[in-house]
Structures are given as C-alpha cells and as structure tokens.
C-alpha cells in the first residue's frame, strides 16, 4: 500500500506474499488454494490484532495520513448543489478554509471546513490547512449569513492549528478566532462540528463552537500537538509518543471526559482505506443529530450550546477535616 504506516508493514508484506503466491499459482497452473487460504486467514488475524490495539501515537499517525480524506471530499460526497463562497470582505480569500451553501438530503445548509489539500501543489496553495485571519473571518461571514436565513451550520475540523506566522499576527489572528468563539455561541441555528483528522488548538476552535461535537474514531483534538507538548515539558520533541498518551486527546478519551458527543466509526485501518464508506458514516451521524436539534427553538439552541461548554472541565472537590 502506498504511504503505509510503520506499524502496518508486517500486514502489507504478508498481503504481498499472498498476491505473489496467487500470481505464481495462475502462471504455473498449480493448485495452491490451501496455502493461500492459510495465509489469508493469518492476514485477517494480523489485521484485527494491529487495528484492534492501536496506541494513541498510531491513531495520530492515521489522523495525519497523507491519503486521509479532506473536507472537500466530504462536501462532494455528503452534500449536493454545493456553491462555494469566497472572501472575508476585509482582506482576501483564504483557501485553507472552504465554505459555502449546499443541500443535505434536500435541506439547505451552510458547510465550512479546513482544507489541507491533496497533492503537494494543492497543499502548498492551501498552506497545509493552516488558516490566516481572513479564513476565520470568511467562516464568520458565512455563519452570519446562515444565521440570518435560518440554515443549519456544519463545520469540518482538520488542522494542526492556525497559521503562526508574523503576517497572520499583524492581521489579527487571535482577534479573529476570539470573535468567532463569541459569535458562534450566540447563533440561533443548529451547529454541528465534526473533527475529521487533526483538531489543533485555537485553529480548530475557530470553527468549533457547536451544539454537537462529533469526532472520527482515529482523529485527535488537543490544545497542543504532542511534539509541541514534549518540547515544552521535556525539551525533547522525540518524546512526542509519551506526550500523546499523557494528553488524553483521542476520541475515546474525549468521549469519556465529556468533551465530544459521539465517536464516528472509521473503516478498518482508517478513513483513507474507504473514503466513500467514511462519508456514509459521517452523513448518518450528522442527520441523526440535526434531526433532534431542529426540534429546538433559537433560544433553546443557544442555551443548549451554553450548557454543553459550561460542563467541559467541570469537577467536584471534597474537603475533609
């Protein structure tokens, strides 16, 4: 497999042996079905063993996989009649965030998401999915429009973080993200956010204040990257794996902590193994939560959003004498 991850190599090598044996059997007209069946059974067991016991670091590697589906894939396969809108009406257009109007099973919605690109040229053009302030201001413009016309908002989160360059700071990066947090809290339409890959810090939060926060099985959501945390805590980025375990940033960890509302299953091995099936799973989850949210009034949606975030980090302490 192209771009196979290190822990997948034993499985890839075994599958290659099976393919070679099948080709040899056909070329020599030999019956090797018993040997092939044994290897296939062994491959199935190895596949279950590898993907059924993934470490936090291995899940992060899957979330960062070069072939992992991007926001534009999900827009094209989940929605219809997508019309992309550009620009923040202040500075320019940021291709690291895409957004526009679409239909979800015939219902008009506004869709917004980070777009990191597919090939090298596209990734460079989209700044690898690291938005500038104009990206967040574009997203806010589209969300304000959705709120005005009563369209539900669907956000796809997949970024290492907001662009950290000096030009982004000069144009008000932190202000743009902070304004989005404030404004999203007060919109009177349903907002569903889906973390599809990396959910990095304020870059993710800038379009992440929703009534429901859904997360793909192998995605992660964190205030800082494991490499960054390791560099701060131990002054050694090589300890990223250790930091990843300590941060509790996987979907299972965050569901247990009450940060996210649902874990969306991935095809075995990750979304890149079957992007169309992944789109189906995401669509089902969005439809389920949107159906219940549409029953709420505007004021109830705002209160629902407030209650969701006010409970994050809640704890009880007991002082004993």
């Amino acid at each position: 497999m192209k771009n196979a991850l290190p822990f997948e190599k034993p499985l890839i090598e075994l599958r290659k042996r099976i393919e070679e044996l099948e080709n040899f059997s056909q070329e020599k007209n030999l019956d090797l079905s018993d040997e092939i069946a044994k290897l296939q059974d062994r491959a199935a067991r190895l596949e279950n063993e590898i993907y059924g016991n993934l470490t936090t670091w291995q899940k992060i590697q899957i979330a960062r996989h070069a072939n992992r589906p991007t926001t534009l894939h999900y827009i094209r396969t989940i929605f219809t009649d997508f019309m992309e809108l550009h620009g923040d009406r202040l500075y320019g257009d940021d291709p690291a965030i895409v957004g526009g109007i679409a239909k979800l099973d015939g219902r008009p919605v506004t869709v917004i998401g980070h777009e990191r690109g597919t090939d090298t040229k596209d990734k460079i053009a989209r700044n690898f999915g690291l938005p500038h302030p104009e990206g967040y201001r574009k997203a806010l413009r589209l969300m304000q429009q959705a709120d005005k016309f009563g369209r539900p908002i669907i956000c796809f989160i997949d970024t290492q973080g907001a662009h950290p360059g000096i030009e982004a700071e000069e144009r008000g990066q932190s202000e743009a993200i902070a304004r989005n947090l404030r404004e999203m809290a007060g919109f009177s339409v349903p907002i569903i956010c889906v973390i599809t890959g990396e959910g990095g810090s304020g870059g993710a939060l800038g379009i992440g204040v929703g009534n429901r926060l859904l997360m793909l099985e192998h995605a992660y959501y964190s205030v800082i990257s494991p490499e960054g945390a390791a560099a701060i805590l131990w002054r050694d980025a090589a300890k990223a794996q250790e930091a990843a375990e300590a941060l509790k940033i996987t979907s299972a960890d965050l569901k247990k902590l009450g940060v996210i509302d649902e874990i969306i299953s991935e095809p075995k091995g990750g979304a890149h193994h079957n992007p169309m099936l992944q789109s189906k799973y995401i669509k089902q989850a969005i439809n389920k939560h949107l159906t219940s949210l549409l029953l709420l009034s505007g004021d109830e949606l705002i209160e629902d959003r407030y209650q969701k975030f006010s409970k994050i980090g809640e704890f009880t302490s007991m002082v004993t004498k």
Side-chain angles (χ1 to χ4, degrees), residues 242-259:
E242 187 176 342
E245 293 290 344
L247 286 168
K248 304 298 181 186
I249 56 179
T250 67
S251 59
D253 292 325
L254 296 173
K255 183 68 168 65
K256 188 181 299 183
L257 292 169
V259 175

Side-chain angles (χ1 to χ4, degrees), residues 265-284:
S265 299
E266 295 193 31
K268 189 171 289 186
H272 58 285
H273 283 268
N274 195 334
M276 291 304 296
L277 182 58
Q278 187 64 74
S279 296
K280 179 182 176 181
Y281 291 160
I282 294 175
K283 184 177 181 179
Q284 288 173 344

